[in-house]
Amino acid sequence: MKQSRRRFIKAAAAGTLAAAIPLSRLKFLSPAEVKAATGDASIRWIFLVDTQKCVGCGFCVKACKIENEVPYDAPITRTWVERYVVTADGATHIDSPLGGRDGFIDGRIDGRDIKPGEISKAFFVPKLCNQCDNPPCVQVCPVGATYQTLDGVVLVDRSWCIGCGYCIMACPYGVRFFHPVHKVAEKCNFCYHRISMGLKTACEQACPFGARQLGNLHDPADPVTRRIMTERVAVLKDEYGTKPQVFYIGLDEAVR
Amino acid sequence: MSEPMVVHGLDWTIKELFVYPNEFIYWAIQIVMYPYMTGLVAGAFVLSSLYHVFGQQDLKEMARFSLVFSLALLPVAAMPLLLHLQQPLRAINPLLTPHFTSAIAAFGFVFSAYAMIVLSEIWFVYRKYFVEQANALRGMPGLVNSGKHLLYNLLTLGAHDSGDSAVAKDKKAVKILAATGIPVACFLHGYAGFIFGSVKANALWMSPLMPVIFIMSAVVSGIALCMLTYICILKWSQFRTARNKGAGGQAAAGGVQIETINKAARYLLGFLLAAISLELLDLIFRGYTAMKSWDILRSIMYGKDFINIFVLQYGLGNLVPLILLLLPRATVNRTAIALILVLYGIFMMRWNVVIGGQAFSLSFSGYMHYQLPIIPHNLETFKEGLCGALTVAAMPFILFYGLNKIIPAIKQTGH
Ligand code: SF4
Ligand code: SF4
C-alpha cells in the first residue's frame, strides 16, 4: 500500500516534468514585444491643438465619428470639444453636449443661463488621446491588447481585448470607452490607418480653422515640431507622469 | 450593423455637472462582488489555518468547516469577473498572453495556485475518510452505492493506506499546505487591493494602504461568514434532531458551542480593529495633505456618500457589531446579528471603494451617480445588476451544499 502511494507520486512528478520540457522549448514573448514590431521608429507622432483658433463648431467630432465608425448618436466619442465659461464671480462652467458634435448653439450650461455681461472669459478646448509616452493604459492591460507602436501611437487589438475596462480606469484623461458594437476598448488613435498612408487625421482635415495639427517630433523641419519647440506650449495633467504628446497653445488654468 | 448597440454604463450612470463624455461607471456591481468574494475565500482559509498551523485547538470544529467552505467560495470568486468582461469568451487570454506589468495579469496564476493548495489540503484532510467510505461501500448492493464506491475510490487517488503513520504524514502535509496557503491567500487578496490601489488616475483608489486594508477586511469578512454559516447549520441540525426526538434532544448532534464562537469572534475583532484603523488613517491622511483631489473627495465623503460611508459602513457595519461583540455575556444570537452586520459593513466598504471611486469625474468638476439595475431589460443589466449580484452571492451556498454531501464539513458524531 505504502509502496503504491510512493510510486504514484513518483509517476506523477515524472509526468509533470515530461510535460514541462517541451513547453520550455517555446520562447516566451510578451505581447508588447510582438506588437511593437508595428510602426516606424523614425517617426514620433504628436499633435498640436491651438485653442485660440477653435470656435467650437464640432466638425472634427463629426468627421471622427464617421471616419472611425463610432456610432453617431451614441454618447461616446474618440475626440470631443469642451466649452469653458468663466464668470465674473470666478466660477467655471464647463460642458460638452454630445462631445460638442453639433457645436455649441445653446447659451445655457447645465441649465443655467449665463448672461453675456457675466462672462469674463470663454473658450473651447478640443480633446483627444494624448498617445502618452508613458501610457498607463498600456501598463495595465492584462493581455497586451493595448500596445504602443514604434511611432508612439497607442492602439487596441480588437481581436484580443477581453473587455475588462482596466485601461479605461487607468487613463487619467477619460479618453477611453467600450465600443458599443465591437464590445472592446476603444479610443482615438490619431487615425492610424490614415496617417500611416501619409494622409491627415480626419479631425485635422475637417477643422476649418487649423486648430488641430498632426506632427512628427523626430523631424526637426516639421512645422508642428518647430512650433512646439519655439512657442510656449502646455500639456494636460502632467502631474500623472504620463508624458502626454498632445500639446496645447493657449491652455488655461481652468482647463480640466 | 446587426449586433445590438449597447453603450456600456449608460443604463446605470447619471451624470451631474461636468463629466467627460466617455466617462461612465464602467466598474459596477460585479467589481464590488469580486473583491468581496475573494475576500471571503481568503478569510475562510485563514480561519482554517489558524487551527492547522498555529494549533488553536478551540477552532478545530470551525477549521474543517471553513476549509470546505473556502473551496465552495473559490469558483465563485472568479465568477464576477466573467460576468463583468465584455468578452467573456476570451477570459483565457490573460493566461495565454499575460502582460505582467498589469496587476490583473497574474490573477489567473495566483488563483490557480491557491486553488491547488486548497484542493490538496482538503484531500489530505479527508483522505482517511475517503478510504473508510470506499471500504465501507465495497460490495454494497444498489447502483447508488456502487457509484459512490467508485467516486470515493477515485478520490483516494489510489492511496488506500489508513495506518497511523500514513495518517500522521497526512497531518504533516496539511500543516505545510495550510502554512503555505496563508501567504498565498493574503497575496490573492492583497493583490485585489493592489488592482485598485495602483490606479493613479483614480484619486480615491490610489493609496499604498489599499492592499493591506483589503487583506484585513478580507479576513474579517471570511471569518464572519464562516462563523455565521456554522451557527446557522448547527442551529438547523439542532432544530431537526429536537423535532425528531421530541423535546430534550439538545445534547445530540452538537449544539452551537458559545466558547468556539467566542474564540473565533476574538480573532474577528482583532482584524476588524486593524482594518478600521487603517481606513481611518487613510482618510485622515487625505484630509490633512489636502491634495488637488481633496475638494471633490470631501464633497463625496461628507456629502453625497455620507450615509453610505459613515452611517452604513462605519456605523452600522463596524461600530455596532464592535459593541455587540465586546459587550459581556455574549449569546449566540447576538453574535449572529453582529456577524451579519460585519458582513454588511465589509460589503459597504467594497461598495464605497469601487462605486465611490467612480462617483466623481476625472475632471474633478462633476459627479456620477450609480443606479443599480434592479429589473433587467437586457443581458448587460442582468449581469451587472441586482440579479447578477444575487446569483454570485447564492452560488457558494449551492456549491457548499453539494460538496458537503461528498465531504462532510461538520462532524455529526463526536469522534
Ligand atoms: S491619453 Fe489615455 S488612452 Fe491615450 S495614451 Fe494616454 S493614458 Fe492611454
Ligand atoms: S479593456 Fe481590453 S484593452 Fe483595455 S485593459 Fe482590458 S483587455 Fe486591455
Side-chain angles (χ1 to χ4, degrees), chain A residues 141-143 145-146 161-167 178 185:
Chain A
C141 178
V143 294
T146 279
C161 165
I162 59 175
C164 63
Y166 205 10
C167 54
F178 279 126

Coordinates of all heavy atoms in Angstrom, one line a residue, chain A residues 141-143 145-146 161-167 178 185, ligand 2:
Chain A
C141 N -3.0 46.8 -19.1 CA -3.8 45.8 -19.9 C -3.3 44.4 -19.6 O -2.1 44.1 -19.8 CB -3.7 46.1 -21.4 SG -4.5 44.9 -22.4
P142 N -4.1 43.5 -19.1 CA -3.6 42.2 -18.7 C -3.2 41.3 -19.8 O -2.6 40.3 -19.5 CB -4.8 41.7 -17.9 CG -6.0 42.4 -18.4 CD -5.5 43.7 -18.8
V143 N -3.7 41.6 -21.0 CA -3.4 40.7 -22.1 C -2.5 41.3 -23.2 O -2.2 40.6 -24.2 CB -4.7 40.1 -22.8 CG1 -5.5 39.3 -21.8 CG2 -5.5 41.3 -23.3
A145 N -3.4 43.7 -25.1 CA -4.3 44.1 -26.3 C -4.1 45.6 -26.6 O -4.3 46.0 -27.7 CB -5.7 43.8 -26.0
T146 N -3.8 46.4 -25.5 CA -3.4 47.8 -25.8 C -1.9 47.9 -25.8 O -1.2 47.4 -24.9 CB -4.0 48.6 -24.6 OG1 -5.4 48.9 -24.9 CG2 -3.3 49.9 -24.5
C161 N -8.6 42.0 -27.1 CA -9.1 42.7 -25.9 C -10.2 41.8 -25.2 O -11.1 41.4 -25.8 CB -9.6 44.0 -26.2 SG -10.6 44.9 -25.0
I162 N -10.1 41.7 -23.9 CA -11.1 40.9 -23.2 C -12.2 41.8 -22.6 O -13.2 41.3 -22.0 CB -10.5 40.1 -22.0 CG1 -9.8 41.0 -21.0 CG2 -9.5 39.0 -22.6 CD1 -9.3 40.2 -19.8
G163 N -12.1 43.1 -22.7 CA -13.1 44.0 -22.3 C -13.2 44.1 -20.8 O -14.3 44.1 -20.2
C164 N -12.1 44.1 -20.1 CA -12.1 44.2 -18.6 C -12.3 45.7 -18.2 O -12.7 45.9 -17.1 CB -10.8 43.7 -18.0 SG -9.3 44.5 -18.5
G165 N -11.9 46.6 -19.0 CA -12.1 48.0 -18.7 C -11.0 48.6 -17.8 O -11.1 49.7 -17.3
Y166 N -9.9 47.8 -17.6 CA -8.9 48.3 -16.7 C -8.2 49.6 -17.3 O -7.9 50.5 -16.6 CB -7.8 47.2 -16.4 CG -7.1 47.4 -15.1 CD1 -7.4 48.3 -14.2 CD2 -6.0 46.5 -14.9 CE1 -6.7 48.4 -13.0 CE2 -5.3 46.6 -13.7 CZ -5.6 47.6 -12.7 OH -4.9 47.7 -11.6
C167 N -8.0 49.5 -18.6 CA -7.4 50.6 -19.3 C -8.2 51.9 -19.2 O -7.7 53.0 -19.1 CB -7.1 50.3 -20.8 SG -8.6 49.8 -21.6
F178 N -15.9 51.8 -24.1 CA -16.2 50.5 -24.8 C -16.9 50.8 -26.1 O -17.9 51.5 -26.1 CB -17.0 49.5 -23.9 CG -16.2 48.8 -22.9 CD1 -16.5 48.9 -21.5 CD2 -15.1 48.1 -23.2 CE1 -15.8 48.2 -20.6 CE2 -14.3 47.4 -22.3 CZ -14.7 47.5 -21.0
A185 N -12.3 47.8 -25.8 CA -11.9 49.1 -25.5 C -11.6 49.9 -26.8 O -11.1 49.3 -27.8 CB -10.6 49.1 -24.7
Ligands
SF4_2 S1 -10.4 46.5 -21.8 FE1 -9.2 45.4 -23.4 S2 -7.5 46.9 -23.9 FE2 -8.4 47.6 -22.0 S3 -7.1 46.7 -20.4 FE3 -8.9 45.3 -20.7 S4 -8.1 43.8 -22.3 FE4 -6.7 45.5 -22.3

